[in-house]
């Protein structure tokens, strides 16, 4: 009596379904089960970063007397190469904040910059220029030349991004990096931030709406985002996944032998 066995392709398809049926698709998407709602935006003034050592600043000076302002806008010797959001490398020159927190400004000498916001530093420079009668009603504009965030791990394009407008959200940073891969662990994204000489590590869950009320929704300069691989990616390089082709091959051979013996 010949025993009927299901075709080989059916058996392989059944095994594949068994291996993949336990995958939780909610782990691969953002903000699950979020209904229409509103989240209050943070006060952007509270998000203004504080100048730190090794920051590179662009400081431009204008006044009612353009000729008198020229000396304060001479090219600065401190220069560095930065990677822009488009992936290109640009040469930037400006005032480098030294390890003691000072910048060397024309005629004014050493000016304390670290620990201040751009607004506070601008007010200090303006006050000194007027007090020493170097300029009348000077207009100071300060920008960061090395405002950057780093995105590493399970993203399409890990990189360090320079942010020209000095404002970026966590989601925008992930977008610049080409978004998370399918193997990314979306409920345990690590954000590393240095404040007051201390590195702070924070875990963020992107599968819920907690990000929108988090103080880490907006990133700060020098923030590092690390996206770890999920269990599926880790197991794919482990022993179990390495043995999977061997198991399928053995199963295929067994079915073929049984088929030949029952003819």
């Amino acid at each position: 009596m010949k025993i009927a066995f299901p075709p080989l392709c059916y058996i392989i398809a059944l095994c594949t379904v068994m291996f993949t049926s336990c995958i939780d698709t909610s782990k691969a998407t953002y903000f699950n089960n979020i209904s229409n709602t509103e989240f209050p935006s943070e006060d952007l003034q509270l998000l203004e970063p504080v100048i730190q050592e090794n920051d590179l600043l662009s400081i431009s000076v204008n006044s009612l007397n353009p000729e008198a302002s020229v000396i304060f806008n001479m090219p600065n010797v401190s220069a560095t190469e930065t990677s822009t959001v488009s992936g290109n490398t640009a040469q930037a020159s400006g005032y480098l904040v030294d390890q003691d927190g000072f910048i060397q400004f024309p005629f004014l000498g050493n000016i304390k910059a670290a620990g201040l916001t751009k607004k506070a530093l601008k007010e200090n420079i303006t006050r000194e220029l007027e007090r020493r009668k170097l300029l009348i009603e000077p207009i100071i504009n300060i920008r960061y030349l090395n405002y950057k965030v780093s995105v590493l791990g399970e993203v399409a394009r890990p990189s360090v991004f320079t942010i020209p407008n000095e404002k970026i959200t966590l989601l925008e940073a992930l977008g610049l990096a080409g978004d998370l891969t399918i193997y990314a662990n979306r409920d345990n994204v690590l954000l590393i931030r240095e404040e007051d000489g201390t590195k702070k590590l924070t875990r963020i869950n992107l599968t819920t709406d907690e990000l929108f009320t988090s103080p880490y929704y907006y990133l700060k300069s020098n923030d590092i985002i690390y996206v770890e691989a999920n269990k599926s990616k880790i197991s794919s390089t482990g022993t179990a996944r390495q043995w999977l082709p061997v198991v399928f091959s053995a199963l295929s051979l067994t079915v073929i032998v049984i088929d030949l013996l029952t003819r």
Side-chain angles (χ1 to χ4, degrees):
M1 177 179 179
K2 184 180 292 187
I3 302 175
F5 289 91
L8 174 61
C9 60
Y10 290 165
I11 296 177
I12 295 177
L14 178 61
C15 292
T16 302
V17 170
M18 291 175 61
F19 276 108
T20 59
S21 60
C22 58
I23 296 176
D24 186 359
T25 56
S26 66
K27 298 292 185 179
T29 57
Y30 297 108
F31 316 126
N32 295 300
N33 302 321
I34 295 181
S35 57
N36 294 336
T37 186
E38 294 182 358
F39 297 97
S41 298
E42 291 189 56
D43 186 352
L44 295 182
Q45 291 184 351
L46 299 177
L47 299 172
E48 185 175 2
V50 174
I51 299 170
Q52 303 179 32
E53 291 81 4
N54 299 317
D55 275 345
L56 191 64
L57 306 175
S58 167
I59 304 178
S60 63
V61 180
N62 294 287
S63 70
L64 297 176
N65 187 347
E67 294 181 356
S69 304
V70 171
I71 189 62
F72 299 100
N73 295 301
M74 299 296 289
N76 195 273
V77 294
S78 299
T80 185
E81 288 189 353
T82 60
S83 177
T84 63
V85 293
S86 61
N88 299 323
T89 300
Q91 187 80 13
S93 61
Y95 292 91
L96 181 65
V97 183
D98 63 24
Q99 294 299 315
D100 296 321
F102 290 86
I103 60 172
Q104 186 72 26
F105 200 77
F107 289 98
L108 301 184
N110 284 334
I111 295 181
K112 184 68 174 180
L116 302 177
T117 62
K118 292 190 305 179
K119 179 180 179 181
L121 178 58
K122 179 173 67 174
E123 291 174 350
N124 289 351
I125 294 176
T126 300
R127 182 169 54 252
E128 284 299 307
L129 290 174
E130 290 180 332
R131 185 180 69 84
R132 301 189 189 189
K133 295 182 171 51
L134 296 172
L135 290 176
I136 299 175
E137 298 182 1
I139 300 174
I140 313 296
N141 184 40
I142 302 176
R143 296 187 60 85
Y144 287 93
L145 293 176
N146 62 340
Y147 193 106
K148 63 184 185 297
V149 296
S150 303
V151 185
L152 310 172
E154 282 297 325
V155 292
R157 296 185 298 275
S159 187
V160 179
F161 301 99
T162 299
I163 312 303
N165 62 354
E166 304 173 9
K167 176 191 169 193
I168 187 171
T169 67
L170 175 59
L171 295 178
E172 289 172 332
L174 294 176
L176 291 177
D179 201 4
L180 307 182
T181 70
I182 193 65
Y183 298 109
N185 190 350
R186 287 163 169 77
D187 58 9
N188 200 26
V189 174
L190 176 64
L191 189 146
I192 305 171
R193 173 174 294 175
E194 185 169 350
E195 291 180 323
D196 302 324
T198 302
K199 288 184 173 61
K200 300 179 181 180
L201 280 64
T202 303
R203 299 283 180 173
I204 299 173
N205 187 351
L206 296 181
T207 64
T208 70
D209 61 2
E210 70 177 47
L211 174 64
F212 297 105
T213 56
S214 168
Y216 303 99
Y217 179 73
Y218 286 98
L219 300 180
K220 294 185 177 182
S221 182
N222 300 313
D223 277 356
I224 300 174
I225 303 165
Y226 173 69
V227 183
E228 64 183 23
N230 58 22
K231 294 181 180 179
S232 176
K233 177 65 176 291
I234 296 173
S235 63
S236 68
T237 58
T239 304
R241 189 59 66 113
Q242 292 176 2
W243 277 97
L244 215 55
V246 178
V247 172
F248 277 121
S249 298
L251 182 61
S252 300
L253 180 61
T254 302
V255 172
I256 293 173
V257 171
I258 294 175
D259 184 59
L260 291 175
L261 293 176
T262 55
R263 287 182 180 180

